[in-house]
Amino acid sequence: MNRFIDEPTAQTLAETLADELVRIGDIRDPVWREVFTRVPRHVFVPHFAYITDTPKGSRYDLVSSANPDQRTAWLDGVYSNATLLTQVNGQPVEEIFAAGSGFGQHSSSSTLPGLMAWMLDVADLHGGHRVLEIGTGTGYNAALLSERLGSDRVTSIDIDQHLTSRARERLAAIGLHPIVATGDGRLGYEANAPYDRVIATCGLDHAPSAWIEQTVPGGLIVTNVTGGLGGAMLLAQVGEDNTAHGRFLTRWAGFMPSRHSTPQHAAYADISATGTTLLDPDLFNDASFAFLTQLHLPHARRYWATNQDGRAFTGLKVRDGSWAGVYEPDADGNRQVDQGGPQRLWDRVEEAYRLWEKEGRPDWARFTFEARPGVQTVSLGDRHWELPVEVAAA
């Protein structure tokens, strides 16, 4: 079925994009190439915003199909291999930036098409498979899945009712009618279970047990296991008795964190220890070190601030009020470290660094994953870390 009604320019651009994804290796199955040429991304992204980093923060500039002067730029952007920001501070970009450029925190996007194609390939989808997608977003990925498998085989869920409502409308506009539900994706969607595949396009610090329970033995889960410091893409196969095992994939990718509510942080504790370190906080920019440190400090968040004396520092904090602040180095390369609260967070970072060096700076692909009811473990050889499994409230 031709879903590009009266849009020959978009049809050509979609074919060019699909060919580009084949060329760079993100599409390996020719069937997926045909799917990408048949599903119009522009229907799902009528507006997006470009982001520019400025001293004041992230500035967003709207590109809209409603603006005749931007039509060429809009279509070129939509059919580029790029992530397109569609929501900022929980509001659609066409609403929040209707009066012009602005600032904020992005909260939803249309994922990089190459990354979507790669995940669909990793999921090893075949005709007859039933799929649960976590994170509906614009609905474009649900459209790709529905085009290949049939709408009756696809269920998509998102916590944002505005997103699911618009996605449902846009899917219907091109003749696709998967189940699009509003709810906490951590709970899966039991009404349509069981599934052969679960594909998540949001970040969580573990693989929710509901996904495992709602997936048939032998089924696959593709998700981004991540936290405030680092993460990686997990491919897990479900076994009997609600178990799963898997590995972290060689290709690094990251998604916006799941938007479920989280416990409040306790107030910052007073300084209880001051010392020095030779470690540069910029080490967190190394994805392999960040992944390992995330396992040591699963609830930690990184931030940047300025002390009352005007000195800038890189900070870590966790929910119990523990924190650490690392300052710029002195002439000898030593950095002052202040810590407070029941945990010594920077001590854990240094512990992770020593292990990282001892093991030859391993990246995430050397780690394995195992899940049993109530317990999920990531392992490197004979070393094991438990992920912070939490039960979502129904």
Side-chain angles (χ1 to χ4, degrees):
M1 176 181 177
N2 180 11
R3 304 189 191 278
F4 288 81
I5 301 175
D6 299 327
E7 286 289 352
T9 300
Q11 176 86 72
T12 300
L13 291 172
E15 292 172 356
T16 300
L17 173 59
D19 288 338
E20 171 67 8
L21 299 184
V22 171
R23 186 188 67 78
I24 64 178
D26 287 335
I27 290 180
R28 299 189 298 173
D29 181 348
V31 177
W32 280 120
R33 181 203 172 274
E34 293 306 309
V35 168
F36 272 80
T37 66
R38 295 199 303 264
V39 176
R41 192 186 189 199
H42 69 274
V43 171
F44 299 92
V45 192
H47 322 274
F48 65 89
Y50 283 120
I51 183 171
T52 303
D53 292 328
T54 76
K56 295 182 179 180
S58 297
R59 188 190 74 214
Y60 299 91
D61 296 288
L62 180 65
V63 180
S64 174
S65 61
N67 184 341
D69 294 334
Q70 292 185 326
R71 184 167 182 81
T72 298
W74 166 66
L75 278 176
D76 287 345
V78 166
Y79 289 102
S80 65
N81 188 24
T83 296
L84 302 176
L85 300 176
T86 56
Q87 190 186 75
V88 173
N89 296 344
Q91 291 183 258
V93 293
E94 67 272 22
E95 296 177 8
I96 194 171
F97 302 125
S101 301
F103 296 85
Q105 178 63 47
H106 52 264
S107 50
S108 189
S109 65
S110 178
T111 302
L112 185 84
L115 176 56
M116 297 167 71
W118 173 76
M119 289 179 68
L120 294 170
D121 182 73
V122 165
D124 192 27
L125 289 154
H126 299 285
H129 278 163
R130 296 174 57 82
V131 179
L132 172 64
E133 179 197 25
I134 311 296
T136 305
T138 67
Y140 179 53
N141 200 44
L144 294 169
L145 288 164
S146 299
E147 182 72 16
R148 170 133 194 197
L149 302 175
S151 294
D152 60 328
R153 296 280 172 174
V154 178
T155 301
S156 184
I157 187 168
D158 200 293
I159 201 167
D160 188 325
Q161 185 174 7
H162 179 89
L163 291 178
T164 55
S165 177
R166 291 202 170 183
R168 199 178 294 115
E169 292 171 0
R170 291 165 181 168
L171 285 158
I174 60 170
L176 298 173
H177 302 277
I179 295 296
V180 179
T182 304
D184 188 339
R186 295 175 300 166
L187 297 171
Y189 192 74
E190 190 172 8
N192 278 7
Y195 304 98
D196 300 283
R197 302 288 187 267
V198 174
I199 300 174
T201 54
C202 59
L204 283 165
D205 54 14
H206 68 291
S209 58
W211 301 358
I212 299 172
E213 293 164 4
Q214 293 173 23
T215 301
V216 300
L220 300 177
I221 296 172
V222 183
T223 187
N224 182 208
V225 175
T226 188
L229 301 179
M233 296 300 297
L234 172 69
L235 175 64
Q237 184 172 48
V238 173
E240 301 289 344
D241 302 320
N242 297 326
T243 61
H245 66 277
R247 59 188 174 86
F248 291 90
L249 298 165
T250 302
R251 176 172 175 171
W252 187 90
F255 285 91
M256 293 182 191
S258 168
R259 288 163 61 183
H260 64 274
S261 60
T262 57
Q264 295 292 317
H265 280 74
Y268 288 100
D270 292 334
I271 294 176
S272 55
T274 297
T276 60
T277 183
L278 290 173
L279 289 187
D280 186 341
D282 283 349
L283 269 173
F284 287 113
N285 296 331
D286 186 307
S288 60
F289 177 69
F291 178 87
L292 181 57
T293 309
Q294 175 70 35
L295 297 176
H296 283 73
L297 290 169
H299 293 298
R301 294 288 183 271
R302 185 166 52 141
Y303 65 98
W304 295 265
T306 301
N307 208 342
Q308 292 178 345
D309 60 10
R311 291 185 300 157
F313 66 92
T314 299
L316 297 175
K317 62 180 178 179
V318 296
R319 296 173 185 170
D320 66 6
S322 298
W323 61 274
V326 183
Y327 294 86
E328 292 299 308
D330 59 21
D332 296 323
N334 291 301
R335 300 168 184 270
Q336 180 180 325
V337 180
D338 294 337
Q339 301 188 77
Q343 301 184 62
R344 295 290 180 265
L345 302 186
W346 199 255
D347 292 358
R348 300 298 306 279
V349 172
E350 294 202 334
E351 177 187 338
Y353 180 77
R354 289 191 294 270
L355 176 59
W356 190 55
E357 288 286 358
K358 179 182 177 181
E359 295 293 334
R361 299 192 168 195
D363 71 15
W364 51 89
R366 283 181 52 189
F367 292 75
T368 59
F369 169 87
E370 183 179 4
R372 304 184 307 279
V375 180
Q376 295 187 10
T377 306
V378 173
S379 301
L380 175 67
D382 60 358
R383 295 179 180 270
H384 312 282
W385 295 265
E386 286 193 11
L387 297 180
V389 175
E390 297 178 1
V391 178

